[in-house]
Amino acid sequence: MAKPSTSLAPDPMVERLRAALGRRAFTEQKMFGGTCFMIDGNMLIGTSKRGLLVRVGKAAHAAAAARPHASPMEMGGRSMEGYVHVAPEGTATEADLRGWLGLALAFVETLPPKVKPAKVAKKRA
């Protein structure tokens, strides 16, 4: 008798975002219970079962949160200014997804690249 698979089904949104980003250089990182896409070390957009986490910046926050299927992002009961949550209905079409991705890119491309600090050796007693 075969064991049931314990692995999770791949998130189709991850593939959609990879395709939408095209040849742009990006990295992926597991965060917030999903996959986050990073450009130059800065978080751009993330997936979860509940929808997308889109980084829009503080200046665009109110307008982005007022768009259909969007709301201010909250984590642990605290609002995350500069980030919005987009329900799955808000990314139903490729045009919808490109719109959110474009908004995130417009902000993140203004940020300087993040450099990882060098690891410091721990002292041994």
Side-chain angles (χ1 to χ4, degrees):
M1 186 169 174
K3 287 184 179 180
S5 174
T6 57
S7 65
L8 297 174
D11 181 352
M13 182 58 73
V14 171
E15 288 302 322
R16 289 180 66 202
L17 285 166
R18 287 175 184 152
L21 284 165
R23 296 180 184 260
R24 186 180 307 275
F26 65 89
T27 57
E28 296 175 22
Q29 186 173 337
K30 295 289 183 190
M31 293 172 78
F32 308 120
T35 302
C36 286
F37 289 76
M38 320 281 277
I39 292 184
D40 290 330
N42 293 298
M43 189 191 139
L44 175 69
I45 200 164
T47 68
S48 79
K49 292 175 187 170
R50 297 180 314 273
L52 289 183
L53 166 62
V54 183
R55 187 173 188 185
V56 296
K58 291 181 181 182
H61 181 90
R67 290 174 65 171
H69 309 291
S71 60
M73 184 65 197
E74 289 187 13
M75 281 208 161
R78 293 178 56 191
S79 179
M80 295 177 60
E81 192 174 2
Y83 296 83
V84 294
H85 171 260
V86 181
E89 301 81 26
T91 59
T93 69
E94 294 312 304
D96 292 336
L97 182 61
R98 280 193 309 273
W100 285 111
L101 187 56
L103 196 58
L105 285 165
F107 173 68
V108 173
E109 288 178 337
T110 68
L111 301 175
K114 283 191 177 178
V115 290
K116 289 187 177 181
K119 290 189 178 182
V120 179
K122 292 182 181 180
K123 284 187 175 182
R124 290 189 147 167

